[in-house]
Amino acid sequence: MSAFVAQVPLRWTDQDAYRHVNHARIVTLIEEARVALAFTGAGEEGLTGFASGLLVAGLHVEYKRQLPWRADPLRVEITVRDLRAASFTLDYLLRDGSGPDDPVAVTAWTRMALYDLLAERPRRLTDGERDYLKRHLGDVS
């Protein structure tokens, strides 16, 4: 089991007047990494259910250091925890650079809920979705 890794590019407009990446942009970078995991990565394996109804039910962000703009992408590592019937939590490490040894600048989590948009109600994970997410379970120590 290992973290899902996304390389997320920064845009010039991600920085604010203090010349570091703005809070709202950090949340967008987290979202882009989540899309890579749940839509792109899962979709490449034929799992399209996340793209048709995956909602953020909770969000928490903590800053460890300022994150200045740079031309190189950021490395975002995502692990899964609290895998339940119709929800799970994603933990994020945003590194201050694109490498696995670059310092962690931001930690975050999102609690995700599966939702059937047509039926307007929560839905359960399929066996395929559960197996996909299990490959990215975080340390259970």
Side-chain angles (χ1 to χ4, degrees), residues 85-106:
S87 67
F88 54 92
T89 300
L90 297 176
D91 291 310
Y92 307 83
L93 292 178
L94 281 75
R95 295 197 176 271
D96 190 359
S98 59
D101 296 324
D102 286 324
V104 173
V106 177

Side-chain angles (χ1 to χ4, degrees), residues 21-115:
V21 179
N22 179 275
H23 166 74
R25 300 299 191 181
I26 292 291
V27 173
T28 299
L29 296 171
I30 290 167
E31 178 182 41
E32 289 177 13
R34 182 174 61 249
V35 165
L37 167 76
F39 300 173
T40 308
E44 289 171 354
E45 297 189 23
L47 301 170
T48 59
F50 293 135
S52 63
L54 184 60
L55 306 177
V56 175
L59 166 70
H60 179 84
V61 180
E62 289 192 21
Y63 299 92
K64 306 300 182 188
R65 61 189 298 146
Q66 289 189 30
L67 192 57
W69 180 88
R70 84 281 314 281
D72 296 328
L74 296 179
R75 179 183 175 98
V76 181
E77 300 166 12
I78 305 174
T79 55
V80 177
R81 68 178 159 93
D82 298 332
L83 190 54
R84 299 178 183 204
S87 67
F88 54 92
T89 300
L90 297 176
D91 291 310
Y92 307 83
L93 292 178
L94 281 75
R95 295 197 176 271
D96 190 359
S98 59
D101 296 324
D102 286 324
V104 173
V106 177
T107 61
W109 60 257
T110 54
R111 189 172 49 257
M112 307 303 299
L114 293 142
Y115 198 76

Side-chain angles (χ1 to χ4, degrees), residues 50 80 83 88 129-137:
F50 293 135
V80 177
L83 190 54
F88 54 92
E129 290 166 342
R130 179 174 297 281
D131 291 342
Y132 176 75
L133 293 171
K134 279 184 177 178
R135 290 190 304 215
H136 306 295
L137 283 173

